Amino acid sequence: NNKELRWKDSGGSERTILELTSADDLYFGGSYAGSLIFVGGGSYTERMRISDDGNVGIGTTSPTELIEVRGETDVTPGVIS
């Protein structure tokens, strides 16, 4: 294994985006400084972000907590296993 998907950033440096290791672990992210941003819809609207420090934001572009959700939410009680 040890396969990678890479592309060049705006400065011309190659960056790893996906990597399949010899242990068959799949790494998704990047060898870059910046957030991992998930978009949706035809207008590429940001839906979720994982910042460099590991904070996850839904409904915010600058999460300051481990998980930060802004906007209306619906939480159903139950067991998560």
Side-chain angles (χ1 to χ4, degrees), residues 2-16:
N2 288 330
K3 304 292 182 187
E4 294 181 351
L5 174 63
R6 307 185 89 183
W7 66 59
K8 291 184 179 181
D9 64 16
S10 59
S13 298
E14 286 192 3
R15 304 294 183 187
T16 301

Side-chain angles (χ1 to χ4, degrees), residues 7 13 27 37 53 55:
W7 66 59
S13 298
Y27 283 76
I37 300 170
D53 59 8
N55 291 342

Side-chain angles (χ1 to χ4, degrees), residues 4 9-11 16 18-19 26-27 41 49 54 57 63 65 67 70 74 76 79:
E4 294 181 351
D9 64 16
S10 59
T16 301
L18 289 171
E19 178 183 1
L26 181 63
Y27 283 76
R49 164 185 301 249
E65 303 295 331
I67 298 176
R70 294 205 180 169
D74 182 12
T76 303
V79 176

Side-chain angles (χ1 to χ4, degrees), residues 34-38 46-70:
S35 298
L36 178 59
I37 300 170
F38 296 82
E46 181 173 330
R47 302 298 183 194
M48 184 175 75
R49 164 185 301 249
I50 303 174
S51 60
D52 280 349
D53 59 8
N55 291 342
V56 177
I58 300 173
T60 178
T61 58
S62 55
T64 59
E65 303 295 331
L66 185 58
I67 298 176
E68 183 174 342
V69 179
R70 294 205 180 169

